Structures are given as C-alpha cells and as structure tokens.
Amino acid sequence: MPTLGIDLGGTFARAAVVDEVGRLIAASKVALVERSPSGVVETIAQAVSDAVRVAGVPLGACGVAAAGQIHKDSGVLSVAPNLGWRNVPLGALLTARLGQPVRVVNDLSAAAWGEFNAGAGRGSQDMLVVFVGSGVGSAIIAGGRLVDGGGGVAGELGHIKVVPGGRRCGCGELGCLEAYVGGHNLIAQTRELLASGGSPEVARLTGGDPARITPVTLEKAAEAGDVAAVEVYERAAQFLALAVANQVTMLNPARLVLGGGVLTHCPGLRRRVEEGVRAWSSTTSREGLLIADAELGDDSGLIGAALLVK
C-alpha cells in the first residue's frame, strides 16, 4: 500500500505518495509563507492534499522528514534552526490536522533510509550517510536498521564541537562543525571576507555584491590562491574531512554515501572528504569501504520518510 512522505524544509513543504519500493506516484510542493507552527502545519496539509488528489489514493500513514533535533517517541522538534523553532510538538499537531498517524524523523535519517532502500545504499547493511547542504548532517544504518539513539538524535555530525567556544551555530551552541562547514555558514564567512576587504578574489567573483556569494564562491576563490579565502576554506575542509574520517573509524561502515548541495556543487570539498577518510580513518575500519554519491537527490527525504512508516 502506498504511504505518504513529507519533507519540511526551510522554504518549502513537499509531499509525495510513494509505493512499496520507493517510487514516487505523485508529489507536490508549497512555499512556506507563514512560518509559525500552525502556519507550517496548514502548508503541509495543503501539500498533502495536492499530492493525494493527484495520486488518486486514500491518505494513509505519513512520515515527515524535518531538519532539526527530534525526540523519536513524541515527535517534538527540540531544535529546528531553519524555522527558528524550539520544542514544537509537530507530530501531535500533524496527527490532529491530518487525522492519520504521523511519524516525524530527522531529515538526514529519512534521506539515509531512502538511499538505503532505493538509492546508493542498496545491497549494504552497514552504511554512513553524510550530507552537507545548508547544514551538516549524518545518519547511521547498522545491520540494516536505522540507528536513532536513546533520544532520537544519533548521528548529529553537524553539532560535534570542533572549536570550543567558537562560532555560534544555528542550534544556539558554540563551535559546532556546522558553524564552519554548513552552506549558510560558508556564505556568512565569505561575506565577512568581502566586508573586510581582505579577499580580492571574492570581490572579483561577486562584483562586490554579497548577495551573489555561494559556497562555490569560496571554493573558487581558494583555488585561485586568495590567501584569506584559502584560510577559511582549508579550515572548513579539514574540519569536515577529519570529522567524517573519525566517524568511519568509530562505525566501520561498509558504505559511505556523500550528498547535499554543497558537496554536489563544490567538487574540491567532496574530494577533500574522500581524501581525508582514506588518510585519517583507521586502516582496519576502512578496509573494503565503498564511497558513493547519493543517487536520489532532493527526493531522498521524501522517499525515506514514506518508507519509514511501513
């Protein structure tokens, strides 16, 4: 029986009806105009209604992928940086609004489950997934099961501390990996370089317009030898590569799946992660390790969320 997957991002809510093997039957996307919990719930309900109407099937159980730290039993979003939420009972709100059981999971957990079942993880029982997009996240599958931890927040790679007392992260804490490597924070650091006047290559690439800065801007400026850009870029690359290498050492996955917009569009950073894993993870932990790129793109969370409720 088809199930429903919902992907709650920072700017859109997407919904899709998904069949038993992870194929999308119908999908819809609605922009988030009102970002309060009640407003977001109504936006999700509209996306769900659109997808279900197109699919022509009754609404069944729903899985929701959301960026943030989520309590696995209650469906409460303890921290949702993209929406500015703290302790929002999204699972209960959606269950009441949709009239169907709803399971809320971290977006990386959903993406990992989608890749495991229908993407780059097929055929592997022990897998580590690392995505770098606007933030940094990871998820762990061990023995064919998603590892969610005692409270549901296992695999929060973006919130390990790399600089005690360092830059403030969207989660509110200081010195997280995400504060140095996440796409939003790469942009913020590059804008700081532009504002200081210390990066002529960033100024050249953007025409001095901070609105034109993306993570690719920083990578291109660093590759051109801009001293200030190299410093920021090298720090981010080393932090990320070392963090992933240490995860490989701890978890000994058979497969490492890399994805997310930053790694997709910044091939140099993607290469540095793989080089770091080969150089810095323990020899025994990486024996036989296959490193692959995610295959499902933006649909991984939708597919994984739908399959997780089966």
Side-chain angles (χ1 to χ4, degrees):
M1 177 180 179
T3 51
L4 191 76
I6 299 164
D7 185 1
L8 174 59
T11 55
F12 291 94
R14 300 175 66 214
V17 179
V18 178
D19 71 11
E20 292 83 355
V21 295
R23 291 185 296 238
L24 269 64
I25 298 172
S28 67
K29 180 170 74 171
V30 180
L32 297 179
V33 178
E34 171 56 60
R35 299 167 69 86
S36 68
S38 60
V40 169
V41 165
E42 288 306 313
T43 300
I44 291 173
Q46 179 62 58
V48 167
S49 176
D50 292 346
V52 169
R53 183 180 67 255
V54 172
V57 298
L59 176 60
C62 305
V64 181
Q69 298 176 12
I70 300 161
H71 193 281
K72 67 177 182 179
D73 296 324
S74 65
V76 170
L77 268 73
S78 301
V79 180
N82 290 343
L83 295 169
W85 289 359
R86 295 290 188 274
N87 299 316
V88 172
L90 182 62
L93 292 173
L94 282 172
T95 296
R97 176 63 179 84
L98 300 176
Q100 297 289 341
V102 173
R103 180 181 180 184
V104 183
V105 297
N106 174 268
D107 58 344
L108 253 296
S109 296
W113 197 245
E115 291 289 343
F116 173 68
N117 284 278
R122 286 171 297 192
S124 175
Q125 292 296 295
D126 296 278
M127 184 174 81
L128 171 63
V129 177
V130 176
F131 275 33
V132 183
S134 56
V136 179
S138 68
I140 304 157
I141 291 174
R145 297 177 64 87
L146 180 67
V147 177
D148 49 17
V153 295
E156 284 283 356
L157 180 67
H159 301 292
I160 66 169
K161 301 302 180 284
V162 293
V163 181
R167 293 178 66 88
R168 186 168 297 279
C169 181
C171 72
E173 299 184 12
L174 300 176
C176 296
L177 176 65
E178 185 170 301
Y180 294 89
V181 185
H184 287 326
N185 288 296
L186 288 174
I187 290 170
Q189 292 171 91
T190 309
R191 285 178 175 170
E192 291 165 12
L193 294 180
L194 180 63
S196 72
S199 178
E201 188 64 17
V202 169
R204 187 190 71 80
L205 289 168
T206 62
D209 182 0
R212 294 175 59 186
I213 290 173
T214 70
V216 176
T217 308
L218 178 63
E219 180 163 286
K220 287 183 175 179
E223 290 173 346
D226 184 287
V227 174
V230 167
E231 182 179 354
V232 173
Y233 180 79
E234 288 295 321
R235 177 178 63 186
Q238 186 171 82
F239 283 170
L240 178 62
L242 188 58
V244 177
N246 284 337
Q247 271 199 314
V248 169
T249 295
M250 286 191 298
L251 300 170
N252 184 212
R255 194 164 303 178
L256 169 62
V257 176
L258 301 174
V262 170
L263 291 183
T264 298
H265 297 294
C266 295
L269 189 60
R270 161 66 173 79
R271 182 178 65 253
R272 291 289 296 276
V273 172
E274 182 161 354
E275 291 172 350
V277 169
R278 301 297 185 196
W280 296 330
S281 60
S282 71
T283 303
T284 52
S285 69
R286 66 175 183 267
E287 286 180 358
L289 175 67
L290 174 64
I291 301 177
D293 292 316
E295 295 179 0
L296 301 180
D298 292 341
D299 293 333
S300 60
L302 280 174
I303 293 169
L307 294 178
L308 273 170
V309 298
K310 288 190 178 297

